[in-house]
Amino acid sequence: MMDDENKNLVLILLVLALFTGMAVEVSEGSTAVGVSLFLISVFLLTRINFKQLGSSGLLKKSKTYFVIGIFIVSADLYYNFKHGGELGTLDVMTLFFGASLIGTQLQNPQIERVSRFGMYISSVFVVLYLIFYTMFAFLNIDFLHKFDHYLILLPTVKLLGLAGIPLEVIATETVRVSGVEEMTVIIGGPCSGLYSMFLLIGIVFGYSRIEKMEVKKTLMILGFCVVVAYIANLFRVIALYFAAYYYGQETMMLLHTHLGWIIFAAVAAGIMYFIELKS
């Protein structure tokens, strides 16, 4: 039976998954669904016995860290407000990191402990994002397009071909679907599944730091996490192609909006269950 500490971490994980779903729904889907997910996440927060989580000992209480957190949040919001842009995934995780850094410096032990977990997750995501999306682009390393083409697009097209659904590859990240209606589908950016993979790596890393797991065990679970996240994303892309072929673009876009964060929540919960079995 799951003890109180691991139950708390699972609840935190569900809150993060619901928060991710809320952000997707508000920006791309249904505002009503987004608000509902937010209310559910708030309810789950009230079910967490924060006192069961250990003391962090990570950052000493310091006004400097508190000010840095406020600066990160303010700078990101100001930049997006000034340029009239919507908050992207990197912005959300940057704000999450800044807010978590602020939370680690508060006197309330409940907020401090949850913020510590959030800081691990958001910092890992931001670092990986900057490496794969920003640094690789600056160095003209064409990793993302090759990843999308060879590891996402071609395998999914091949699998659907074996199932009798013909798809025509017309570009590096684009296929033509000739089903109930003619359309082109682009697999790239968030559809690569890297965002979810970054989040899951951050969750596992944060959990390993909190639980003070051995390095070997942490690396094993991280490897498992990457494989599961990759397979889950293949399933998501196949589902999108399937919907496009049999039901058309409107159904595919509806599935695109809702399916991603639902799979993320299921996969994250499965990984936490696997970690619990290995603990």
Side-chain angles (χ1 to χ4, degrees):
M1 186 174 180
M2 189 178 298
D3 58 32
D4 288 338
E5 183 173 350
N6 290 320
K7 179 182 178 181
N8 287 336
L9 290 174
V10 170
L11 286 174
I12 292 170
L13 181 60
L14 288 175
V15 169
L16 292 172
L18 290 171
F19 178 79
T20 303
M22 177 201 69
V24 173
E25 292 291 347
V26 170
S27 61
E28 301 178 15
S30 167
T31 301
V33 173
V35 172
S36 298
L37 293 176
F38 175 75
L39 294 176
I40 294 173
S41 66
V42 171
F43 171 76
L44 289 178
L45 279 173
T46 66
R47 309 298 297 174
I48 299 174
N49 183 8
F50 294 107
K51 292 181 181 180
Q52 293 295 327
L53 292 177
S55 177
S56 67
L58 177 67
L59 294 176
K60 295 179 180 180
K61 291 292 184 292
S62 169
K63 291 182 180 179
T64 301
Y65 292 125
F66 186 82
V67 171
I68 291 174
I70 292 178
F71 174 78
I72 291 173
V73 172
S74 301
D76 191 275
L77 290 175
Y78 174 76
Y79 176 84
N80 282 278
F81 177 78
K82 184 177 181 180
H83 292 82
E86 296 182 356
L87 294 177
T89 304
L90 181 59
D91 292 304
V92 171
M93 297 311 294
T94 301
L95 292 170
F96 189 19
F97 175 73
S100 297
L101 189 60
I102 294 171
T104 62
Q105 301 305 303
L106 299 179
Q107 296 300 319
N108 188 304
Q110 293 92 334
I111 296 177
E112 186 271 336
R113 289 160 186 157
V114 173
S115 297
R116 173 168 53 105
F117 193 60
M119 189 179 66
Y120 282 126
I121 296 171
S122 55
S123 61
V124 168
F125 183 95
V126 170
V127 169
L128 291 175
Y129 185 100
L130 291 176
I131 292 174
F132 284 91
Y133 285 88
T134 304
M135 187 177 77
F136 279 14
F138 179 77
L139 297 175
N140 292 319
I141 299 175
D142 190 24
F143 168 80
L144 295 176
H145 289 156
K146 285 183 170 57
F147 180 88
D148 291 340
H149 182 73
Y150 291 105
L151 294 179
I152 303 296
L153 186 145
L154 291 184
T156 52
V157 168
K158 180 67 175 178
L159 289 172
L160 282 174
L162 294 174
I165 300 178
L167 300 173
E168 181 185 359
V169 179
I170 59 176
T172 302
E173 299 172 325
T174 309
V175 298
R176 178 179 289 116
V177 180
S178 301
V180 294
E181 58 181 288
E182 189 86 9
M183 74 181 77
T184 57
V185 179
I186 299 175
I187 300 299
C191 289
S192 66
L194 289 177
Y195 287 0
S196 297
M197 196 177 294
F198 294 168
L199 279 172
L200 290 172
I201 291 173
I203 288 169
V204 172
F205 178 76
Y207 184 91
S208 69
R209 292 290 294 165
I210 291 173
E211 291 293 304
K212 296 180 172 58
M213 292 169 52
E214 297 178 355
V215 175
K216 182 178 180 180
K217 184 176 181 179
T218 299
L219 292 176
M220 180 191 70
I221 295 175
L222 283 173
F224 174 78
C225 168
V226 170
V227 172
V228 171
Y230 171 71
I231 294 174
N233 189 61
L234 289 183
F235 169 78
R236 184 177 72 89
V237 173
I238 288 173
L240 292 178
Y241 285 149
F242 185 87
Y245 184 81
Y246 283 106
Y247 302 103
Q249 184 174 0
E250 184 176 350
T251 300
M252 183 202 70
M253 292 306 299
L254 181 66
L255 200 64
H256 179 272
T257 299
H258 302 291
L259 186 61
W261 71 265
I262 294 174
I263 290 179
F264 167 75
V267 170
I271 288 176
M272 290 298 293
Y273 178 73
F274 173 79
I275 294 174
E276 181 65 20
L277 288 179
K278 294 297 182 179
S279 299

